[in-house]
Amino acid sequence: MSEVLNLTEILTEVQNFITADGQIVPAQRNFYQNLRVKMNNHTGLFNEAEVGPLLLETRLEVLELTDEDYTAIYNIIMDRFGLSKRLEEEDQLRQELAIKVKLRKEAEQKAKAEAITKQKTENEAKAKAEAELKAQIEVEERLMAEAQQKILAEENARKEAEEKTRLEEEARLQTEEIAKLEEQTRLKAEQNARLIEEARIRNEEEAKMKAEIEASMKAEQEAKLKSEEQAKLDAEEAARIKAIQDKIKAEEDEKLRIANEAHLQMVDEAIRITNEERLAATAKIDAEVEEARKIAEQERLAEQTKIDAEIEQVRMASEREAAQKMAEKNAKLAEEAAELAAKEAEAAASSKDIPDLPPFGE
C-alpha cells in the first residue's frame, strides 16, 4: 500500500529545502508557489504516484530552476514517502516483536510462578525444619546455660573460699613479717651498737699498733744508722789491716832486695876466686840467702797469721752482732705481724655485712 501524505507535509518539506541556507532563490520561490497552486487545485490523493507528475509539471513551468535543485526537492519528497513506508514496516515489526515479547514474558511469568510455588513449598518445609531445629537448639542452649550457671556458681563459691583463705594467710604472713621485721630491727640496733664498740676498740688497737710500728721503725732506723756506723768502722779497720799488709810486703820486698844485692856482691866476689872457692862461696851464699828468705817468710807468715786472726775476730764479732740484731728484728717483726694478723682475723670474724630491711609487705 502506497503512503499518502497531506498538502501541508509536502509543502513543508519544499519550504524547508528552499530556506535551508537562510535566503530564498527566486527560481526556488517560483517553483514553490506554482507547486502550491497545483496541489491546491489537485482533486486526487497525495500519494507517490500522483505527486510525482505534479512535481514534473511544475518543473516544466519554472525552467529557471536548476536540475540540481529540482532533483534535491524531488528526492526529499520521495524519501518522505519511503520513510512513511519504512515507519509502517518498523511499526509492524514492533507489533510482532511486542507479541513475541508478551508471549515470552507470559511463559517466563508462568515458569517463575511455578518456581515461586516450588520455592515456597521448599521454603515452608525448610522453615518448618529450621523451626524444629531452632526449638531443639533453644532447649539445648537453655539446658547448657543452666549447667553453665550452676558450674559458674560453684566456681565462684570455690574462688570466694580460696580468696578468703588467701586473705587470711596473707594477714597471718603479714603479722609474722611485721614481728620478724621488728625483731630484725632490734637485732640490727644491737648489732650496730656492738659493731660501733668493736670499731672503737679496733681503732684504739690500730692506733696503738701504729704507734708500736712507728717505734719499731724508729728503732730499726737507729739500728740501721748504727749498722752503717759499724760498716764505716769495719771499712776503717780493713783499711788499717791493708796498710799493715802493705807495710809488711814493703819490708819483705826490702829484705829481698838486700838479699839480692848481697847475692850479687857475692857473685861478683866469687868471680875473682877459684872455681872451688867460688862453688863453696856460692853454696854458702845460697845457704845464707835461703836462710834469710826462710826467716823473712816465717816472719811474714807469722805477721800474716796474726793479721788474719785479728781480721777474723773482727769479722766474727761483726757477724755475731749483725746476726743477733737481725734475729731480734725478725723476731719482733714476726711478733708484730702475728699480733696484727690475729687482730685482723678477730675483726673479720666479728664483723659482717648487715643487709637493709626488706620493704614492708614483701
Side-chain angles (χ1 to χ4, degrees):
M1 178 179 180
S2 177
E3 176 68 18
V4 177
L5 300 177
N6 57 39
L7 175 64
T8 303
E9 290 175 341
I10 296 172
L11 293 177
T12 299
E13 292 295 334
V14 177
Q15 185 179 2
N16 290 336
F17 174 78
I18 65 177
T19 59
D21 55 358
Q23 60 181 357
I24 301 175
V25 179
Q28 294 176 352
R29 181 189 298 272
N30 292 334
F31 181 84
Y32 173 77
Q33 291 174 350
N34 290 342
L35 180 62
R36 184 178 61 182
V37 172
K38 287 183 178 295
M39 294 187 70
N40 284 331
N41 295 327
H42 183 65
T43 57
L45 298 175
F46 292 108
N47 54 21
E48 185 177 358
E50 295 184 11
V51 171
L54 291 175
L55 291 172
L56 182 58
E57 290 176 1
T58 305
R59 170 73 177 88
L60 294 174
E61 292 176 357
V62 184
L63 296 176
E64 64 271 20
L65 183 67
T66 64
D67 293 338
E68 183 180 0
D69 289 341
Y70 172 75
T71 302
I73 293 171
Y74 181 84
N75 290 335
I76 289 172
I77 295 173
M78 292 300 106
D79 287 342
R80 180 63 186 272
F81 284 111
L83 177 62
S84 298
K85 185 177 181 180
R86 288 195 301 273
L87 291 175
E88 287 180 0
E89 292 175 353
E90 289 176 359
D91 183 61
Q92 184 177 0
L93 290 174
R94 281 195 298 271
Q95 291 177 1
E96 293 176 355
L97 181 61
I99 293 172
K100 292 180 180 179
V101 170
K102 182 179 180 182
L103 293 175
R104 183 174 58 79
K105 286 184 177 180
E106 289 177 353
E108 290 178 354
Q109 289 177 355
K110 183 178 179 181
K112 186 176 181 181
E114 292 176 354
I116 290 172
T117 302
K118 182 179 179 181
Q119 184 67 32
K120 183 178 180 181
T121 303
E122 292 177 354
N123 290 340
E124 290 176 353
K126 183 178 180 181
K128 183 178 179 182
E130 289 178 352
E132 293 176 353
L133 179 60
K134 183 178 180 182
Q136 184 179 356
I137 292 173
E138 289 177 352
V139 172
E140 292 177 354
E141 288 179 348
R142 180 174 56 79
L143 294 175
M144 185 177 294
E146 292 176 355
Q148 288 179 349
Q149 289 178 355
K150 183 178 180 181
I151 294 171
L152 183 61
E154 293 176 354
E155 182 67 17
N156 290 334
R158 183 183 64 79
K159 288 183 177 179
E160 289 177 357
E162 290 178 353
E163 182 67 16
K164 182 178 179 182
T165 303
R166 186 183 66 80
L167 293 175
E168 292 175 353
E169 181 65 16
E170 287 182 354
R172 184 184 65 79
L173 293 175
Q174 188 174 6
T175 302
E176 293 179 355
E177 184 67 20
I178 292 172
K180 183 179 179 181
L181 291 175
E182 291 176 351
E183 180 65 17
Q184 289 179 352
T185 303
R186 184 184 64 79
L187 293 175
K188 184 176 181 180
E190 293 177 356
Q191 189 175 18
N192 288 338
R194 186 176 68 256
L195 290 175
I196 291 171
E197 180 63 20
E198 291 176 354
R200 184 186 63 79
I201 295 172
R202 185 167 59 252
N203 291 334
E204 291 178 355
E205 292 177 350
E206 288 178 355
K208 182 179 178 182
M209 187 179 297
K210 183 178 180 181
E212 291 176 355
I213 291 172
E214 289 177 352
S216 175
M217 291 177 65
K218 184 177 180 181
E220 183 179 351
Q221 185 69 21
E222 292 176 354
K224 183 178 179 182
L225 293 174
K226 188 175 180 181
S227 176
E228 292 176 353
E229 184 67 23
Q230 183 64 39
K232 183 178 180 182
L233 294 174
D234 292 342
E236 292 177 354
E237 182 65 20
R240 186 181 66 80
I241 293 171
K242 187 175 184 300
I244 294 172
Q245 290 175 345
D246 292 341
K247 181 180 179 182
I248 293 171
K249 186 175 184 299
E251 291 177 353
E252 290 178 352
D253 292 340
E254 182 63 22
K255 290 178 181 180
L256 183 59
R257 185 185 63 77
I258 293 170
N260 288 333
E261 289 179 354
H263 177 69
L264 291 175
Q265 290 177 359
M266 291 178 183
V267 170
D268 292 338
E269 184 67 22
I271 292 172
R272 293 189 300 268
I273 62 177
T274 60
N275 190 31
E276 291 179 358
E277 291 176 349
R278 183 179 60 78
L279 292 174
T282 300
K284 183 179 179 181
I285 291 169
D286 290 339
E288 291 176 355
V289 170
E290 180 65 22
E291 184 66 21
R293 188 188 64 77
K294 288 181 179 180
I295 292 170
E297 182 66 19
Q298 290 175 358
E299 291 177 354
R300 187 187 67 78
L301 291 175
E303 186 67 23
Q304 183 65 40
T305 301
K306 181 180 178 181
I307 292 171
D308 291 341
E310 292 177 356
I311 292 172
E312 183 65 19
Q313 289 176 359
V314 173
R315 185 185 64 77
M316 291 178 65
S318 298
E319 288 181 354
R320 283 195 300 270
E321 185 178 359
Q324 183 178 359
K325 290 180 179 180
M326 183 61 68
E328 292 175 355
K329 178 183 176 182
N330 291 336
K332 188 173 183 180
L333 291 175
E335 183 180 357
E336 292 174 354
E339 291 177 358
L340 181 60
K343 290 179 180 179
E344 289 179 352
E346 183 180 358
S350 61
S351 64
K352 60 182 179 179
D353 294 334
I354 302 175
D356 293 334
L357 291 177
F360 181 76
E362 285 192 359

